[in-house]
Amino acid sequence: MNLPANARTYPAPAKLNLDLRITGRRSDGYHELESIFCLVALYDTLHLAVRQDSEIVLHTPTFSVEPEHDLTVRAAKLLQKATQSKFGVDIWLEKQIPMGGGLGGGSSDAATMLLALNRLWTCGLNRQQLMDLGVQLGADVPFFIFGRNAFARGIGEKLTEIDIPKQWYVIIRPNVHVSTQKIFSHKNLTRDSKPSIIASFQALQPFRNDMQSVVFEEYPQVFTAFEDLKVHGSDPLMTGSGACVFIAVSTKEKAEIICKEVSKKYQAFCVEGLTQHPLFDI
């Protein structure tokens, strides 16, 4: 990748939903949920170079996504409009986080764009102002700007920091794309989970994902992946609306052994849980 001398590099980490419960449905069609969001060390990478002419140019369009619909471009335009910035940006995006897997890659890319450009364009917005912008791009975007592992309520935008024990995760991606819209509109989806009284890592166990059974019903490939991973320890979980499933492991060594085995059949990742976003301090 041939980058200009003024390009700067920024990471965009993935997330896992360690627990996900749907507690209701709003009049606007959005679902109320509760979830534990955990940052993990699987990254997309953004390379950004400030332009003086206000143009926003994506040099690495993602397959099947028009540049103007790409979340990085939309995030840059949103910040530009909100702050009336006269600057533009050249964007090079390296994707490592699988698309459509429930790992939040697109949302994380958008959050990194807002965090980085707020600094590069000297916009001066604080974290809450950036989160308020981010929710316009997607319900998961504020979490990545929040920058800490979190217990989420609402549509995912009401965040409280939560302590998560240091863990490693093995993530596998079955070769199927799950339609989030299809799952949220499914007649069998659980929508009445009881809201939590205490929001802590211990109090919410055993963890579950209210979308999981419906995804298994509609996408048997995800259920097969779940069963294949289950052989290697306690029950895995699906993250988000799928399709990725994961298992938590106490040590790197054990995680690497499991990952090596399941990678014979699936795209697999062995990743460490993070305590905060790598751009938290900016």
Side-chain angles (χ1 to χ4, degrees), residues 29-238:
Y30 280 99
H31 287 76
E32 294 277 349
L33 57 84
E34 292 184 347
S35 186
I36 295 177
F37 285 118
C38 178
L39 294 159
V40 294
L42 174 63
Y43 302 97
D44 287 346
T45 305
L46 280 77
H47 307 279
L48 308 177
V50 173
R51 297 173 63 107
Q52 305 300 317
D53 60 3
S54 80
E55 292 295 313
I56 294 168
V57 182
L58 177 63
H59 294 273
T60 54
T62 304
F63 175 73
S64 78
V65 179
E66 293 295 326
E68 62 267 23
H69 296 149
D70 190 285
L71 276 168
T72 59
V73 173
R74 290 175 57 201
K77 289 183 176 179
L78 183 64
L79 183 65
Q80 191 181 58
K81 182 179 179 180
T83 62
Q84 297 184 324
S85 176
K86 303 301 182 185
F87 293 112
V89 65
D90 288 304
I91 306 164
W92 294 265
L93 174 61
E94 294 183 75
K95 291 292 295 181
Q96 178 71 16
I97 303 170
M99 295 177 64
L103 298 172
S107 294
S108 186
D109 296 342
T112 288
M113 180 65 72
L114 291 174
L115 288 164
L117 288 184
N118 187 51
R119 168 72 65 92
L120 291 172
W121 288 350
T122 61
C123 296
L125 300 187
N126 62 33
R127 192 180 307 277
Q128 186 58 56
Q129 289 172 315
L130 289 173
M131 289 170 64
D132 292 342
L133 283 180
V135 76
Q136 299 177 45
L137 298 165
D140 288 349
V141 178
F143 161 67
F144 290 103
I145 298 170
F146 182 74
R148 303 273 195 178
N149 294 327
F151 178 74
R153 285 190 170 99
I155 61 171
E157 87 287 8
K158 299 175 183 176
L159 301 163
T160 305
E161 187 175 346
I162 191 170
D163 290 325
I164 297 174
K166 199 67 176 175
Q167 298 183 123
W168 284 77
Y169 302 93
V170 178
I171 305 166
I172 62 175
R173 181 179 183 270
N175 188 25
V176 62
H177 179 81
V178 174
S179 168
T180 301
Q181 184 178 1
K182 180 178 182 179
I183 300 307
F184 269 122
S185 61
H186 200 284
K187 60 183 175 59
N188 294 334
L189 181 66
T190 297
R191 297 183 174 90
D192 59 355
S193 286
K194 188 176 180 181
S196 304
I197 298 172
I198 301 173
S200 73
F201 185 85
Q202 290 75 23
L204 289 169
Q205 296 195 41
F207 295 145
R208 68 173 192 263
N209 182 336
D210 283 345
M211 299 188 195
Q212 188 168 278
S213 60
V214 172
V215 173
F216 286 176
E217 178 184 337
E218 294 293 330
Y219 301 92
Q221 302 98 316
V222 182
F223 177 70
T224 299
F226 173 90
E227 291 293 308
D228 288 342
L229 197 51
K230 188 175 181 179
V231 171
H232 298 281
S234 58
D235 279 358
L237 272 177
M238 186 181 75

